[in-house]
Amino acid sequence: MRTGNEPVTARSPLRLRFWLSLWGLIWSAAGAAAFSLAARPGWAAACAAVAVIAAVDLVVVIRHIRQGPHYQPGRDVPPYEPPSR
């Protein structure tokens, strides 16, 4: 529901989420490789699972960034009425 008092300069945190996903992907992939070399298959599998989740999140974030900005009503559009109870 739009209340009409949203910040004019509000931005999406997609770029931050992109960098955090990339950071998580790098570290979890390195952890999976290190644990597999150290013969710790359980920890390697856990790190690999986190790497897969980070990779999927990275793909979703990149897709959302490439979609571009979506329609946002301007100041001339009045706020929606709150739902009546």
Side-chain angles (χ1 to χ4, degrees):
M1 176 173 74
R2 184 170 181 269
T3 61
N5 60 355
E6 293 87 1
V8 176
T9 58
R11 296 181 183 247
S12 172
L14 285 176
R15 301 254 186 237
L16 175 65
R17 193 168 145 197
F18 169 80
W19 290 110
L20 289 174
S21 294
L22 187 63
W23 182 257
L25 179 64
I26 290 169
W27 277 100
S28 58
F35 280 124
S36 62
L37 290 175
R40 301 279 190 191
W43 285 103
C47 286
V50 171
V52 168
I53 292 170
V56 169
D57 188 46
L58 198 59
V59 169
V60 169
V61 168
I62 290 171
R63 182 176 167 265
H64 283 282
I65 288 173
R66 287 189 178 175
Q67 283 179 344
H70 295 285
Y71 169 75
Q72 294 292 318
R75 288 181 176 256
D76 57 333
V77 178
Y80 298 120
E81 292 293 324
S84 59
R85 292 185 181 196

